[in-house]
Amino acid sequence: MQILTDKEAMAWAILEAKKGRGWVAPNPVVGCCILDSSNRFLSVGAHLKFGEQHAETNALSKIHDKRLLKGAKVFVTLEPCAHVGNQPSCAHTLSQYDLGKVVYLVKDPNPKAQGGAEVLKQAGIVVEHMRELEDEGRVLAEVFLCNQIESRCLFHLKVASSLDGLVANASGESQWITNEESRAHVQVMRGEHDAVLVGRATFEQDSPRLNSRDVRFSGRSNWAIVLDPKAKLRDQLVDSSLTSVRPESKVVWVTSSSCQAKAPGSINHVQVPEMPGGELSLLELGKKLFQLGICSVMVEGGAKTFAAFFSQSMCDRLSVFQSASLIGSKNSPSWSSAFETRDLKARPTLRHLETTMFRDDIFVSGIIRNF
């Protein structure tokens, strides 16, 4: 049997947790790894789908000889929950066994679920908060932490550009700047989010579907959101590409609260106040989308939409796909052309970077807001 250090066991739990992305909201993604009293690997589990087994129960169910749990160590990415919901309390389930130790990364911010650590301690189980990897745990749980702490959805901006930061040439041609591997990963990212958002100009220019075409998410219909402050798109929504791949009820039309227009069909109409500069209040939008049950949103443009999110400090995560090519025209649009940073000390900075190559494309992703 494989012998693991505590850090290696938690790293495995983090990796396992990622399998739940796109399927567990409004619950958090959670992973669990269990070692016996001699640090030998016993099992690993994750919360894979909302309403189904939590990570701890999933991992426990794979251990047929429960005698192996005497003195065992349980590593879980989020503090085991103390409440009973669709599933039993994980903390109470763990407390039924003669465990040696339970180690977690992030304290549960949900007031209804808090207290799992105390339940375990009262059962005589040692509980440790692994602060060494806590930042990784918080990044893993970023959507849930945003939902719980700020009562809004998380906004993740996605950009595809040339190496010089342009998203089309001077004539507006943009298909395709990045390669097939990058575009395939975008489909995975769409599936991992509850919704995809675009501005009015992108809707009119591209006629997008905004769904995930990755086979792993074929059984799931995501939400599509269109920002249309002046309500110019009302008559274009029902018969658009958006409703060709999802029910009308999963399309959200966002306008200013000063607009009197009514949404067509069963399309959701969300109205939010305007900021002094005429932009829609994205903080209020995030709260209203969360009330609809949307926990995470991938924002796909265009430049004015990106600018609004940055100017209102509502970009929580940024992901950029850059092709190894140059467009270089004076009149070509840049994804960042509509906003500027006047003070370099206040410039948006990505942290906890993920970088990889999709063949000759560069992918960079990082969080901008900490939770």
Side-chain angles (χ1 to χ4, degrees):
M1 297 175 72
Q2 187 177 5
I3 297 177
L4 302 176
T5 65
D6 287 7
K7 191 173 179 179
E8 289 170 336
M10 189 61 84
W12 199 338
I14 292 171
L15 186 64
E16 189 74 6
K18 295 177 181 179
K19 294 179 180 179
R21 285 176 170 170
W23 293 102
V24 301
N27 287 350
V29 292
V30 181
C32 176
C33 182
I34 303 178
L35 309 182
D36 71 8
S37 59
S38 299
N39 289 340
R40 292 174 297 188
F41 174 80
L42 289 179
S43 71
V44 67
H47 182 31
L48 297 174
K49 194 170 184 179
F50 178 75
E52 296 184 357
Q53 284 186 333
H54 288 184
E56 298 93 324
T57 309
N58 194 330
L60 287 169
S61 68
K62 298 175 184 177
I63 303 172
H64 301 297
D65 185 356
K66 295 300 191 283
R67 292 175 297 180
L68 295 172
L69 290 170
K70 182 176 177 60
K73 301 176 181 179
V74 176
F75 299 83
V76 62
T77 58
L78 187 72
E79 177 189 10
C81 60
H83 80 307
V84 177
N86 290 324
Q87 294 291 320
S89 159
C90 294
H92 284 92
T93 298
L94 290 171
S95 69
Q96 296 173 17
Y97 299 97
D98 189 16
L99 302 174
K101 181 168 65 173
V102 173
V103 184
Y104 70 92
L105 285 184
V106 179
K107 186 174 179 60
D108 196 326
N110 184 354
K112 294 180 180 178
Q114 286 176 351
E118 289 305 314
V119 170
L120 294 167
K121 289 176 183 177
Q122 290 173 13
I125 299 170
V126 174
V127 179
E128 291 184 7
H129 182 183
M130 184 184 279
R131 299 185 185 278
E132 184 180 4
L133 294 181
E134 183 177 4
D135 282 350
E136 291 186 41
R138 299 190 77 83
V139 171
L140 177 70
E142 62 185 340
V143 172
F144 185 67
L145 293 175
C146 177
N147 297 163
Q148 294 297 318
I149 294 170
E150 300 203 353
S151 298
R152 66 170 178 87
C153 64
L154 177 136
F155 290 115
H156 178 179
L157 275 60
K158 187 277 297 181
V159 176
S161 75
S162 62
L163 197 59
D164 47 349
L166 303 178
V167 294
N169 62 15
S171 67
E173 183 183 1
S174 62
Q175 296 182 337
W176 295 102
I177 292 176
T178 54
N179 64 35
E180 291 181 2
E181 289 184 13
S182 291
R183 298 198 299 274
H185 191 64
V186 170
Q187 299 304 317
V188 175
M189 291 169 62
R190 284 182 176 182
E192 291 178 341
H193 291 74
D194 293 338
V196 180
L197 179 151
V198 294
R200 179 179 61 83
T202 299
F203 173 85
E204 291 181 319
Q205 291 168 12
D206 298 344
S207 187
R209 289 177 288 178
L210 305 183
N211 63 320
S212 173
R213 295 183 285 282
D214 187 276
V215 294
R216 283 167 285 188
F217 300 99
S218 59
R220 178 176 178 269
S221 176
N222 69 344
W223 296 72
I225 304 167
V226 181
L227 301 187
D228 182 24
K230 303 303 180 185
K232 295 181 178 181
L233 299 176
R234 183 190 183 281
D235 297 330
Q236 301 177 45
L237 294 170
V238 171
D239 295 322
S240 70
S241 296
L242 300 182
T243 56
S244 70
V245 294
R246 62 176 58 77
E248 289 181 10
S249 60
K250 297 205 79 171
V251 175
V252 182
W253 181 41
V254 184
T255 72
S256 165
S257 53
S258 63
C259 292
Q260 300 301 312
K262 302 293 184 182
S266 56
I267 286 174
N268 287 277
H269 187 192
V270 171
Q271 294 182 289
V272 293
E274 291 184 6
M275 304 289 285
E279 299 171 344
L280 297 176
S281 170
L282 298 175
L283 175 60
E284 289 303 312
L285 175 61
K287 292 179 178 180
K288 290 196 173 185
L289 292 177
F290 185 50
Q291 290 169 5
L292 280 177
I294 297 173
C295 297
S296 59
V297 176
M298 190 161 81
V299 180
E300 293 202 11
K304 288 185 178 179
T305 300
F306 290 147
F309 278 92
F310 277 108
S311 66
Q312 296 182 39
S313 298
M314 291 302 292
C315 175
D316 301 307
R317 172 176 286 274
L318 174 66
S319 293
V320 180
F321 294 84
Q322 271 191 324
S323 71
S325 63
L326 302 172
I327 295 177
S329 168
K330 293 180 181 178
N331 298 315
S332 297
S334 162
W335 71 269
S336 61
S337 60
F339 70 91
E340 63 180 349
T341 301
R342 297 182 183 275
D343 181 359
L344 282 180
K345 294 179 181 179
R347 69 191 186 276
T349 302
L350 276 64
R351 296 178 295 278
H352 302 293
L353 288 180
E354 173 192 351
T355 60
T356 192
M357 298 292 295
F358 290 106
R359 209 165 65 234
D360 53 354
D361 286 356
I362 304 164
F363 174 74
V364 179
S365 182
I367 62 171
I368 291 181
R369 290 172 59 96
N370 281 322
F371 297 106

